[in-house]
Amino acid sequence: MVNSSASMKTGSNTAKTALPRKRLRRPAEETRSEILATAEKLFSMRGFSTVTIADIAAAMSMSPANVFKHFHSKVALVDAIVLRQITSLQNDLDAMDTTLPPYERLHQMALSLMRKHVLTLEETPYVFEMLVLMAKQELDCGEQYLQVLNAHVSKIIAAGIKLGIYQTDDLDGTADTINHALVSVIHPVLIAGENPDILATRCTKLVNMMDAALRNTLAK
């Protein structure tokens, strides 16, 4: 006959070992990064409006409260997602060939941004919804995006001034004007559904005008 106390002890030990282990606490930045990656994936697959914070939490096996702990709303998630993409964009711009003439550098930047956004809209059409939201809400990422572009164009203009082919009394203001003029060919919301070949031609014409203006300033 089996000793009942031994049996109970064994059963007790088994129950103890069967208990689920507590999840290890991870660094907050690591959790934020995973939330952003999950949210971006769900937004791209299903659209911003149909995905809830609860959906994002469920995909990560965590409670909605944990998501809210890091991001107070879906709009805040979009802002953070785009800001992360802007960092990647800045790296791409910094990697462009600085030995090219200023005109070619400006043309390369405009075409590269246009093609990148066209491809994004083709592969993940739901991104358009996020971008419209970004424009309406005037999120921080919109201002950051313009700052990155302005800094890049300022470097190109400065290189042209150093070579003696460009002239301007207001470097930052000129860079800002150029980027606002390029909006029609690089802003995802404005180029959605446009023919890429037509956009490329438009890019070239705009850059030609900008290059001519920088070479021949208006008489005062």
Side-chain angles (χ1 to χ4, degrees):
M1 187 172 178
V2 179
N3 187 298
S4 59
S5 62
S7 177
M8 289 175 64
K9 188 176 181 181
T10 303
S12 176
N13 289 338
T14 302
K16 285 181 182 178
T17 56
L19 288 173
R21 291 185 177 182
K22 223 180 209 183
R23 277 182 78 179
L24 294 175
R25 186 181 293 276
R26 295 185 303 170
E29 193 53 43
E30 187 178 324
T31 301
R32 281 176 57 88
S33 181
E34 187 179 347
I35 291 172
L36 287 176
T38 303
E40 184 175 5
K41 181 179 178 181
L42 291 177
F43 290 157
S44 298
M45 290 171 55
R46 294 162 46 186
F48 174 80
S49 60
T50 62
V51 176
T52 66
I53 292 292
D55 293 330
I56 297 167
M60 299 179 63
S61 300
M62 65 167 55
S63 70
N66 280 339
V67 177
F68 280 118
K69 179 181 175 183
H70 297 278
F71 301 97
H72 60 81
S73 67
K74 285 203 302 178
V75 173
L77 274 168
V78 171
D79 200 20
I81 288 169
V82 178
L83 282 171
R84 193 165 64 166
Q85 292 173 344
I86 289 172
T87 299
S88 176
L89 167 66
Q90 184 164 15
N91 292 335
D92 290 341
L93 291 175
D94 290 342
M96 287 184 175
D97 190 353
T98 57
T99 64
L100 295 173
Y103 165 81
E104 291 185 33
R105 290 176 63 185
L106 192 58
H107 193 215
Q108 181 188 52
M109 183 201 82
L111 282 176
S112 175
L113 288 173
M114 182 273 290
R115 289 168 177 159
K116 181 184 179 70
H117 293 321
V118 166
L119 184 62
T120 299
L121 289 169
E122 288 177 352
E123 294 182 343
T124 53
Y126 285 125
V127 167
F128 180 82
E129 187 183 9
M130 291 170 56
L131 293 169
V132 170
L133 172 73
M134 185 179 80
K136 287 182 178 179
Q137 295 284 339
E138 296 185 358
L139 303 180
D140 291 342
C141 55
E143 182 61 30
Q144 181 67 23
Y145 178 72
L146 188 58
Q147 286 178 12
V148 168
L149 294 187
N150 283 352
H152 187 74
V153 173
S154 290
K155 290 177 184 177
I156 295 174
I157 298 172
I161 292 172
K162 188 175 181 180
L163 290 170
I165 58 177
Y166 283 170
Q167 303 175 61
T168 180
D169 295 328
D170 182 7
L171 180 61
D172 293 336
T174 302
D176 186 63
T177 299
I178 286 175
N179 280 317
H180 276 91
L182 287 173
V183 161
S184 64
V185 290
I186 65 174
H187 198 297
V189 174
L190 297 180
I191 66 174
E194 289 270 14
N195 184 303
D197 293 333
I198 293 176
L199 286 172
T201 300
R202 197 179 299 160
C203 269
T204 300
K205 289 181 178 180
L206 279 170
V207 173
N208 284 343
M209 289 176 61
M210 293 166 187
D211 181 69
L214 286 165
R215 288 173 184 271
N216 306 287
T217 55
L218 294 174
K220 294 185 179 179

